[in-house]
Amino acid sequence: MLIDFSSLKKLAEGKTKIIYENPEDEKTVFMVFKDDITAGDGVKHDIIKGKALVDWRTNRDIFELLNRKGARTHYVSSPQEKVVLVKKLDRKINLEVVSRRIAAGSILKWGNEVEGTRFDPVITQFHYKDDPLHDPMLADTYIDYIVRAKGGSEYAEMRRMNAEIFLHLERVFAHFDIQLVDMKLEYGIIEGKVYLIDEITGGSFRLWPYAHKTPNLNQPNVLKELDPEGRLDKDTYRMGEKIDKVLTKFEEIAKVTAKFRDL
Ligand SMILES: Nc1ncnc2c1ncn2[C@@H]1O[C@H](COP(=O)(O)OP(=O)(O)O)[C@@H](O)[C@H]1O
Ligand SMILES: [Mg+2]
């Protein structure tokens, strides 16, 4: 039987999802994907019919993989199309945690980083989640200060979890000749512990196919080993591709993540 959301209390609505109460269990909530896509911190916005369903499939396959691996995530199940059952947050952490293997996107604007530069180990950065401020990056010195002032292990834990999840997903995408370039995740506190929350979909990462079958990824710059033009991720939308094309790319991601179930 389908869940009737019209009778359920809406707890929150963001750019891509709506959160509803679960009247049968106060420890979980329903997360429902929307067809909306945004970029530039919500400045660019479109509706792509069918995107919610594709995102739901990608999200399901990735979170089920992570749960099988033993990662601490809010994901419980995907009871019907576009709907995810997740553990309810006790406290949201208003940060986006970004891990990067290869320099691309916003990092190119900050310094002298050249596109395709390979980071080993991966670098992890915290961004304060605030659209009007364009999610500013927090300097490590500032984070060190907060940690000294307030104590606690949340930052250390998010940094460790983000890098671990990155390395795992990087290995898995590599099976399909795709490089995970970078990735953005969100965390929250559930029963006193740091949990991975939110979604992992085509908007959460950059994915570049290998340029050829046996790329040499062990060099300072790997741009020539990869095929950024063949990108599968939300950059297609950021760069102004037609929304049909964007949906096709997101479907390609879902086709790959569907194979994660056999791993
Ligand atoms: N496990 C959870 N429990 C409760 N709320 C959650 C959980 N995971 C995500 N959320 C909330 O879902 C809301 C909608 O998400 P989203 O559409 O991605 O928002 P945003 O536009 O802020 O990125 C956000 O307020 C987010 O904090
Ligand atoms: Mg979001």
Side-chain angles (χ1 to χ4, degrees), residues 12-17 19 29 31 74 86-89 92 129 186 197-199:
E13 176 160 5
K15 295 188 293 288
T16 58
K17 297 172 311 275
I19 303 288
V29 293
M31 193 172 88
H74 72 155
V86 297
K87 292 195 167 84
K88 186 180 183 170
L89 277 179
K92 191 176 168 180
K129 203 167 144 61
E186 294 183 28
I197 64 156
D198 206 54
E199 64 183 283

Side-chain angles (χ1 to χ4, degrees), residues 81 88 91 111 113 185 194 213 225 234 253 255:
E81 287 191 348
K88 186 180 183 170
R91 177 164 63 83
E113 232 49 89
L185 302 178
V194 177
K213 196 66 198 163
E225 307 298 314
K234 198 170 99 175
I253 298 173
K255 259 186 217 151

Side-chain angles (χ1 to χ4, degrees), residues 14-260:
K15 295 188 293 288
T16 58
K17 297 172 311 275
I18 307 174
I19 303 288
Y20 292 94
E21 66 167 1
N22 178 5
E24 280 163 22
D25 175 15
E26 61 175 31
K27 290 192 163 189
T28 58
V29 293
F30 293 112
M31 193 172 88
V32 182
F33 281 100
K34 308 198 287 187
D35 278 333
D36 300 60
I37 185 167
T38 65
D41 304 307
V43 174
K44 189 169 153 74
H45 175 219
D46 286 278
I47 307 286
I48 304 185
K49 218 172 156 349
K51 176 181 172 281
L53 182 55
V54 176
D55 276 353
W56 171 79
R57 286 161 48 206
T58 301
N59 184 74
R60 174 196 60 195
D61 297 337
I62 295 181
F63 268 94
E64 291 186 357
L65 176 89
L66 295 177
N67 278 4
R68 281 201 297 280
K69 189 188 170 267
R72 203 154 61 215
T73 84
H74 72 155
Y75 181 92
V76 178
S77 64
S78 292
Q80 77 188 43
E81 287 191 348
K82 299 192 271 187
V83 179
V84 191
L85 184 69
V86 297
K87 292 195 167 84
K88 186 180 183 170
L89 277 179
D90 294 325
R91 177 164 63 83
K92 191 176 168 180
I93 299 176
N94 213 28
L95 295 171
E96 300 199 331
V97 189
V98 178
S99 288
R100 300 176 181 274
R101 172 68 81 197
I102 290 158
S106 66
I107 197 172
L108 305 177
K109 288 184 260 171
W110 303 332
N112 321 330
E113 232 49 89
V114 179
E115 190 175 38
T117 301
R118 183 173 191 273
F119 305 115
D120 189 13
V122 294
I123 55 172
T124 296
Q125 306 158 322
F126 294 96
H127 287 255
Y128 178 60
K129 203 167 144 61
D130 182 300
D131 285 335
L133 292 179
H134 301 292
D135 299 345
M137 185 173 75
L138 304 183
D140 283 345
T141 46
Y142 172 74
I143 292 166
D144 291 345
Y145 170 78
I146 296 285
V147 171
R148 267 206 307 281
K150 295 176 106 180
S153 59
E154 287 171 16
Y155 280 94
E157 212 137 298
M158 285 187 277
R159 202 185 278 283
R160 180 188 59 74
M161 286 170 76
N162 222 68
E164 251 178 50
I165 291 167
F166 186 95
L167 293 181
H168 188 56
L169 292 179
E170 182 184 43
R171 268 196 304 276
V172 173
F173 277 112
H175 281 292
F176 305 97
D177 296 339
I178 295 168
Q179 173 67 47
L180 180 60
V181 171
D182 50 34
M183 176 191 83
K184 177 227 89 177
L185 302 178
E186 294 183 28
Y187 295 86
I189 303 295
I190 301 172
E191 293 178 344
K193 291 204 173 91
V194 177
Y195 272 75
L196 175 63
I197 64 156
D198 206 54
E199 64 183 283
I200 307 183
T201 58
S204 310
F205 39 50
R206 289 193 171 83
L207 292 173
W208 294 353
Y210 291 174
H212 51 93
K213 196 66 198 163
T214 50
N216 174 8
L217 297 171
N218 251 324
Q219 44 181 330
N221 191 299
V222 292
L223 197 59
K224 289 200 168 63
E225 307 298 314
L226 301 170
D227 173 23
E229 295 307 313
R231 63 177 57 81
L232 299 178
D233 51 70
K234 198 170 99 175
D235 268 353
T236 49
Y237 176 69
R238 293 189 187 98
M239 291 169 172
E241 287 282 4
K242 292 208 180 63
I243 57 173
D244 303 1
K245 175 84 178 281
V246 177
L247 184 62
T248 305
K249 294 289 184 176
F250 280 43
E251 280 165 350
E252 275 184 56
I253 298 173
K255 259 186 217 151
V256 173
T257 61
K259 295 178 194 152
F260 288 8

